[in-house]
Amino acid sequence: MALLPILRFPDPRLKKIAIPVSRIDDTIRKLAADMGETMYEASGIGLAATQVDVHRRVVVIDVSEERNELRVFINPRLTCCEGLQSGEEGCLSVPGIYDKVERAERVAVDYLDLDSQPQSLLAEGLLAVCIQHEIDHLDGKVFVDRLSQLKQSRIRAKLTKQAKVTA
Ligand code: GNR
Ligand code: NI
């Protein structure tokens, strides 16, 4: 296992669109395991491959209290959404920034598991938010893109400045 470096907004690589996984092999299984380790080490509830500069449609999520329910989603796709919820989001690629984002309250997601089996899941609440946040990453979007232009430019300026002093 290995910890992977996490890209930070506004790194342009966070805008890349990830391509579907065509075969789930040892490389993909190792990627998922390393992403899980990286997510736990960073105390996140989810991580998309895009954030570790791998542009494949792989997501890991664990929204459990005990941090012992790792879920791996390969090629996740929303098949339906209902309702609306609005909650504070954060992102491991946008450290120290939290803001309200509107998301669907309930989603259905189709995906492949690590044994290449097709699965469907109905999710609500925080799990539903996290699935939507991670699929956004695979599509080259971060939650900041869903905020006003004014907030986006403030966040960009703050993190660009921070990157300079910590370089
Ligand atoms: O750790 C995370 N917490 C979080 C909180 C509210 C909404 C979404 C998230 S996902 C985030 C981890 C992350 O950046 N995943 O891409
Ligand atoms: Ni994120």
Side-chain angles (χ1 to χ4, degrees):
M1 299 246 278
L3 288 176
L4 306 169
I6 298 176
L7 299 178
R8 298 236 176 150
F9 180 85
D11 192 309
R13 291 171 290 183
L14 289 169
K15 289 186 172 294
K16 290 196 191 181
I17 296 174
I19 63 173
V21 172
S22 50
R23 201 170 68 93
I24 299 170
D25 56 12
D26 284 349
T27 308
I28 294 296
R29 279 186 277 269
K30 165 120 172 57
L31 171 65
D34 289 346
M35 285 172 58
E37 190 185 7
T38 303
M39 173 187 75
Y40 287 123
E41 201 269 339
S43 301
I45 60 170
L47 191 70
T50 306
Q51 294 176 275
V52 295
D53 202 22
V54 176
H55 303 282
R56 291 296 156 85
R57 302 191 81 86
V58 177
V59 160
V60 297
I61 291 179
D62 187 344
V63 293
S64 73
E65 287 287 325
E66 291 79 32
R67 321 268 311 130
N68 59 1
E69 290 170 33
L70 183 67
R71 299 169 185 266
V72 179
F73 298 83
I74 315 283
N75 301 341
R77 197 170 64 84
L78 295 182
T79 57
C80 96
C81 301
E82 316 182 326
L84 279 179
Q85 60 180 322
S86 171
E88 286 262 303
E89 292 195 20
C91 181
L92 295 174
S93 294
V94 194
I97 306 288
Y98 303 88
D99 212 327
K100 272 194 150 180
V101 180
E102 210 167 74
R103 300 281 190 186
E105 167 59 27
R106 278 174 300 280
V107 298
V109 57
D110 284 356
Y111 64 98
L112 298 176
D113 66 20
L114 281 179
D115 300 314
S116 309
Q117 297 303 305
Q119 303 287 347
S120 294
L121 176 74
L122 291 172
E124 57 183 16
L126 185 60
L127 178 58
V129 169
C130 195
I131 289 169
Q132 293 170 80
H133 177 115
E134 303 313 338
I135 292 177
D136 267 2
H137 277 302
L138 300 181
D139 292 329
K141 291 198 198 87
V142 294
F143 82 94
V144 176
D145 299 329
R146 298 186 176 276
L147 304 177
S148 69
Q149 287 294 336
L150 177 63
K151 283 181 174 176
Q152 287 186 37
S153 51
R154 284 181 180 154
I155 293 166
R156 183 177 295 270
K158 183 171 174 185
L159 293 188
T160 303
K161 189 174 162 195
Q162 240 170 40
K164 273 181 193 134
V165 291
T166 54

